[in-house]
Amino acid sequence: MKTYCVTGGAGFIGSHLCEQLLAQGHRVINIDNFNDVYDYKTKIRNILSSTGSVFPHLYSEDKPGDLAKLQTVVESDHYRLVVADIRSMDELDAVFDSEKIDAVIHLAAMAGVRPSIEDPLLYEDVNVKGTLHILEAMRKHGVRKWLCASSSSVYGNNKKVPFSEEDIVDFSISPYAATKKACEVLGHTFYHLHHIDTIMLRFFTVYGERQRPDLAIHKFVKMLDRGEELTMYGEGTTRRDYTYIGDIIAGILGALSYVEQKDRVYEVVNLGTNRTITLRDLIASLEQEIGTKALICTLPNQPGDVEQTYADVSKANRLFGYRPQTDFAEGIHKFVTWYRGNRHG
């Protein structure tokens, strides 16, 4: 049994990762600050779902609303929840002092392109300073293996497709993208100076069960389900490389195994599908799955939104056998099925 620290482990991707690490018999320390970007009870439900194998008596409960109580009741030999902020060095030191951590999977961040334009200082504070704190905690406590979530947004409006890890990514068009590029550079700095083996994972538009309620697919499904009007920015021609959560988790676990087996590793790796879907085709797929015609309000394109994302995943395949398995229609069906069984308000 190894001990893994997952930051943002109560979120969409993080809760799925914790679930798989627990299923493999490992110990998980989940650091999450339960910020107010969306209802914190969503994250509590994520924890109850992801720890069902460890705490079956909790899985059937609706939602304990007290985080202090939740920290106590989910404490076990295999799982520990720490409500803490990665911007607090003292809080991180307390965790790393009390645990022998084998590797860190750093997923915690302020996410979203458009909100980063409204509050770039917050994004710099959480994403850059918070990541630097994680790296400092690792350095001080002798943890030398980590994965960090980057983003396809670092490619900006790259004209060359599909996007390759060798492409120049110096032309971000949002503060969010700029913070993710900064994290990649910090990762290389600590690799070079302190021998912290690193893989930066550039995620491409992740969707699936437990997806954050503020993301497009979740919002659109909810609006279609309620007969509400959908907002479409532009003419619906923007394209995204939508990646199902199960494929992302397989990629993370593959990268984790790779970095644990190697010495002196720094890699930047795309995790996507090597396929793109237009916004109009996304809406059409949701209409077909739900059986409802969308009412669409068309607005101008938003600042910071890229025209397309399109991943070259050959490097991930070469390094650790990454091969996405879930086609878009299947992934959408799985998400809508999950949504219908988990409506909350």
Side-chain angles (χ1 to χ4, degrees):
M1 178 176 71
K2 292 187 176 181
T3 297
Y4 294 113
C5 176
V6 180
T7 70
F12 167 38
I13 298 174
S15 65
H16 281 276
L17 177 61
C18 290
E19 184 173 8
Q20 287 303 307
L21 291 172
L22 289 169
Q24 293 179 356
H26 299 298
R27 174 167 167 77
V28 173
I29 295 109
N30 170 13
I31 299 177
D32 203 296
N33 74 337
F34 291 81
N35 65 29
D36 59 359
V37 172
Y38 53 91
D39 187 353
Y40 78 96
K41 294 185 181 67
T42 297
K43 288 190 171 184
I44 290 178
R45 286 189 285 267
N46 289 345
I47 288 174
L48 297 183
S49 295
S50 65
T51 61
S53 61
V54 180
F55 308 107
H57 61 290
L58 289 177
Y59 189 78
S60 61
E61 291 188 16
D62 181 19
K63 49 182 183 299
D66 186 331
L67 286 177
K69 173 188 173 185
L70 184 64
Q71 282 182 276
T72 301
V73 298
V74 299
E75 187 80 28
S76 81
D77 290 340
H78 287 272
Y79 187 87
R80 177 184 173 192
L81 172 64
V82 180
V83 180
D85 195 316
I86 60 173
R87 291 173 292 179
S88 169
M89 201 70 238
D90 289 342
E91 292 178 0
L92 290 178
D93 278 335
V95 176
F96 280 75
D97 280 337
S98 63
E99 299 282 355
K100 190 178 186 319
I101 295 169
D102 292 289
V104 173
I105 303 96
H106 178 41
L107 305 176
M110 289 297 299
V113 166
R114 294 171 195 158
S116 77
I117 298 172
E118 299 298 320
D119 198 349
L121 295 180
L122 174 63
Y123 275 69
E124 183 276 335
D125 194 34
V126 175
N127 296 359
V128 181
K129 182 179 178 181
T131 298
L132 185 56
H133 281 178
I134 292 290
L135 285 165
E136 268 292 278
M138 292 176 62
R139 179 190 66 79
K140 289 193 293 184
H141 296 86
V143 182
R144 293 294 181 263
K145 304 286 184 180
W146 86 311
L147 309 179
C148 181
S150 186
S151 166
S152 62
S153 67
V154 301
Y155 289 105
N157 278 322
N158 192 9
K159 300 301 181 185
K160 172 187 157 296
V161 294
F163 299 165
S164 166
E165 296 89 347
E166 302 303 316
D167 296 341
I168 294 172
V169 290
D170 292 338
F171 304 101
S172 300
I173 63 171
S174 71
Y176 172 70
T179 64
K180 287 299 184 179
K181 171 65 185 297
C183 290
E184 294 183 0
V185 177
L186 282 172
H188 187 272
T189 303
F190 274 70
Y191 156 76
H192 174 73
L193 294 176
H194 307 299
H195 300 173
I196 295 179
D197 292 324
T198 299
I199 299 185
M200 309 296 305
L201 296 171
R202 291 176 177 169
F203 297 151
F204 280 69
T205 317
V206 189
Y207 74 101
E209 301 91 322
R210 302 181 208 152
Q211 188 188 46
R212 292 199 334 257
D214 59 307
L215 294 180
I217 289 177
H218 197 146
K219 287 197 299 185
F220 285 175
V221 168
K222 186 175 182 178
M223 290 173 179
L224 279 168
D225 185 51
R226 295 179 171 185
E228 298 173 353
E229 187 175 68
L230 276 58
T231 299
M232 183 176 72
Y233 295 104
E235 298 302 315
T237 57
T238 55
R239 309 183 73 91
R240 294 290 180 268
D241 190 328
Y242 292 102
T243 315
Y244 180 66
I245 183 63
D247 292 321
I248 287 290
I249 297 304
I252 295 173
L253 293 175
L256 180 60
S257 177
Y258 180 84
V259 79
E260 289 182 317
Q261 295 174 29
K262 302 291 183 179
D263 290 320
R264 301 296 291 152
V265 174
Y266 176 85
E267 299 286 357
V268 177
V269 181
N270 291 337
L271 291 184
T273 65
N274 194 232
R275 298 186 299 272
T276 64
I277 304 289
T278 67
L279 180 55
R280 281 199 177 276
D281 285 343
L282 165 64
I283 293 172
S285 295
L286 296 178
E287 289 175 328
Q288 182 175 355
E289 181 65 37
I290 296 172
T292 302
K293 185 69 176 174
L295 304 171
I296 299 175
C297 171
T298 302
L299 295 177
N301 285 320
Q302 296 295 289
D305 280 355
V306 298
E307 296 167 5
Q308 68 175 328
T309 63
Y310 185 1
D312 179 345
V313 296
S314 59
K315 183 176 181 179
N317 177 262
R318 173 170 53 84
L319 292 183
F320 46 84
Y322 174 72
R323 192 182 301 274
Q325 300 294 313
T326 308
D327 67 33
F328 187 64
E330 179 186 357
I332 289 297
H333 176 72
K334 289 180 177 181
F335 174 75
V336 171
T337 300
W338 171 85
Y339 171 83
R340 286 172 168 160
N342 292 271
R343 293 181 181 93
H344 297 284

